[in-house]
């Protein structure tokens, strides 16, 4: 059976030539050779793991699994301990898991969280993972004027650079909600890519300030904060949903470039049950030929180096 891309190509060429009717087009044999849209590193499917480093940088009485029924003017102390779990237990457990599995991830780091736990942030980079920017704190970014937002992003970058020695090349806004000026600011500050986009299952290139800028798409489907925390999924449900996504993308990757994004947050993905689920999930993926795990900065560099990368 022809892929959609093959069908459209065949239909367009033959239709313009006026050689055959619709019935003949449907019966046109599919070309079996693999198109030129495969990954330049030889991968069949690239999996990109995000590990959000946010705990410690949250505002007072931030959203949590506890009912939002606190009397105004009082601090939600149990909720604070939920966030503390992220840097006391969650990230250390995930780091050991990534080492065991032999994969490198991208850690989107909130500047204020990094400054509160510098040793942990430094360890993430020392273990070979990417430090990406995630703002100075949890402030609402899209409402900021240009210069205020620029300083907000710069402050986050400086915190990460000061602590880890790595200058972030990728950016993730709080809940993906960037503003009208965000991409221009990122390009101006020397970023290579952002992830605040859900529109594709592969990286693509856009023009920002008349320069190439990469979009490495994020995910809400394979995301612990949306599924496990937000909808109270069990780990079995999370594992099954993400596995089904992988199976479909792996099948598609026989004919086109495919990327899969999976996201874990420090206080959620770092729990014992979620780490166990991640271990089972990624071990399953690694059993498939041609599956590689890449940091998002690596994916961005591959996209820029490949002439077949989609441009919008």
């Amino acid at each position: 059976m022809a892929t959609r891309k093959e069908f459209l190509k065949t239909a367009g060429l033959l239709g313009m030539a006026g050689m055959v009717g619709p019935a003949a087009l449907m019966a046109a044999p599919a070309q079996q050779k693999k198109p030129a849209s495969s990954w330049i590193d030889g991968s069949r499917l690239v999996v990109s793991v995000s590990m959000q480093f946010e705990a410690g940088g949250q505002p007072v009485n931030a959203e949590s699994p506890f009912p939002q029924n606190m009397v105004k003017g009082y601090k939600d102390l149990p909720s604070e301990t939920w966030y503390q779990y992220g840097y006391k237990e969650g990230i250390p457990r995930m780091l050991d898991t990534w080492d065991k599995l032999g994969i490198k991830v991208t850690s989107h780091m909130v500047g204020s969280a990094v400054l509160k736990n510098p040793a942990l942030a430094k360890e993430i980079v020392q273990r070979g993972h990417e430090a990406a920017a995630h703002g100075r704190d949890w402030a609402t970014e899209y409402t900021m004027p240009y210069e205020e937002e620029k300083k907000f992003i710069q402050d986050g970058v400086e915190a990460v650079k000061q602590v880890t020695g790595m200058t972030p090349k990728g950016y993730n806004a709080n809940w993906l909600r960037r503003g009208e000026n965000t991409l221009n600011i990122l390009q101006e500050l020397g970023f290579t890519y952002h992830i605040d986009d859900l529109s594709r299952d592969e990286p693509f290139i856009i023009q920002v300030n008349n320069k190439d800028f990469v979009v490495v798409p994020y995910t809400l489907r394979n995301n612990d904060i949306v599924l496990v925390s937000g909808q109270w999924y069990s780990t079995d449900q999370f594992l099954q949903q993400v596995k089904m996504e992988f199976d479909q993308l792996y099948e598609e990757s026989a004919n086109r470039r495919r990327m899969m994004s999976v996201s874990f947050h420090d206080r959620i993905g770092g729990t014992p049950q979620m780490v166990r689920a991640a271990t089972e999930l990624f071990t399953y993926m690694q059993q498939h030929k041609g599956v590689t795990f890449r940091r998002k900065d690596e994916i961005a560099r591959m996209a820029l180096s490949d002439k077949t990368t989609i441009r919008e």
Side-chain angles (χ1 to χ4, degrees):
M1 181 179 293
T3 66
R4 178 174 178 270
K5 183 183 291 186
E6 291 166 345
F7 172 77
L8 292 175
K9 182 178 179 181
T10 303
L13 290 175
L14 297 181
M16 285 188 292
M19 296 174 63
V20 294
L25 287 176
M26 293 298 293
Q31 297 179 359
Q32 297 301 315
K33 71 175 184 177
K34 192 172 182 178
S37 61
S38 57
W39 292 91
I40 60 172
D41 69 343
S43 299
R44 170 168 171 168
L45 172 65
V46 170
V47 180
S48 180
V49 179
S50 290
M51 182 177 69
Q52 309 296 82
F53 187 177
E54 301 172 335
Q58 75 278 1
V60 175
N61 294 354
E63 58 194 46
S64 77
F66 290 95
Q68 302 301 301
N69 59 356
M70 286 291 296
V71 176
K72 189 174 182 179
Y74 291 85
K75 185 178 290 188
D76 189 349
L77 298 177
S79 175
E80 288 193 356
T81 68
W82 183 67
Y83 282 99
Q84 290 168 7
Y85 190 92
Y87 54 80
K88 290 180 178 180
E89 298 278 2
I91 288 179
R93 181 178 288 117
M94 283 192 283
L95 288 175
D96 287 343
T97 302
W98 308 148
D99 279 354
K100 183 173 69 174
L101 292 168
I103 67 177
K104 302 303 180 186
V105 308
T106 294
S107 183
H108 309 277
M109 299 182 174
V110 172
S112 54
V114 167
L115 294 176
K116 187 168 183 177
N117 293 283
L120 184 57
K122 190 172 183 179
E123 181 185 352
I124 291 172
V125 171
Q126 289 175 333
R127 290 203 187 195
H129 306 292
E130 177 192 2
H134 198 16
R136 180 188 64 216
D137 48 44
W138 290 26
T140 300
E141 183 174 344
Y142 59 87
T143 61
M144 295 178 183
Y146 193 98
E147 291 302 325
E148 181 183 349
E149 184 181 7
K150 183 177 179 180
K151 186 178 187 306
F152 173 82
I153 295 173
Q154 280 181 309
D155 287 347
V157 168
E158 287 304 314
V160 173
K161 183 178 179 181
Q162 171 190 324
V163 170
T164 70
M166 177 180 283
T167 301
K169 292 299 181 183
Y171 193 74
N172 173 212
N174 182 27
W175 271 112
L176 283 72
R177 289 197 172 102
R178 56 186 170 87
E180 297 292 335
N181 298 320
T182 306
L183 296 187
N184 289 329
I185 292 171
L186 295 179
Q187 182 73 279
E188 185 179 335
L189 293 178
F191 282 83
T192 303
Y193 74 92
H194 83 106
I195 70 168
D196 302 325
D197 189 296
L198 309 174
S199 65
R200 290 188 181 276
D201 290 315
E202 63 182 287
F204 58 97
I205 297 173
I206 59 175
Q207 290 291 298
V208 179
N209 297 335
N210 298 314
K211 297 179 182 178
D212 286 350
F213 196 77
V214 183
V215 180
V216 182
Y218 193 53
T219 177
L220 295 183
R221 298 185 302 276
N222 314 316
N223 192 318
D224 61 356
I225 200 168
V226 176
L227 300 183
V228 178
S229 178
Q231 296 183 16
W232 308 104
Y233 266 42
S234 70
T235 50
D236 286 344
Q237 288 174 297
F238 178 83
L239 180 63
Q240 180 65 13
Q241 175 159 322
V242 180
K243 181 178 176 292
M244 290 179 71
E245 175 118 349
F246 170 81
D247 287 343
Q248 177 63 30
L249 289 174
Y250 188 76
E251 180 180 309
E252 292 177 11
S253 69
N255 296 298
R256 58 186 301 195
R257 182 183 292 121
R258 299 282 77 181
M259 183 195 91
M260 180 176 184
S261 179
V262 187
S263 182
F264 298 94
H265 291 71
D266 41 32
R267 66 270 183 201
I268 307 168
T271 60
Q273 56 188 299
M274 283 298 292
V275 162
R276 178 63 63 177
T279 299
E280 183 176 335
L281 177 67
F282 294 150
T283 299
Y284 171 77
M285 294 179 183
Q286 289 173 326
Q287 294 169 350
H288 290 69
K289 185 177 180 180
V291 173
T292 59
F293 288 77
R294 295 280 182 260
R295 299 174 1 169
K296 287 179 171 59
D297 57 345
E298 295 175 319
I299 293 172
R301 285 196 296 270
M302 285 197 290
L304 289 170
S305 300
D306 193 337
K307 293 181 180 179
T308 67
T309 301
I310 294 174
R311 289 179 173 269
E312 291 190 352

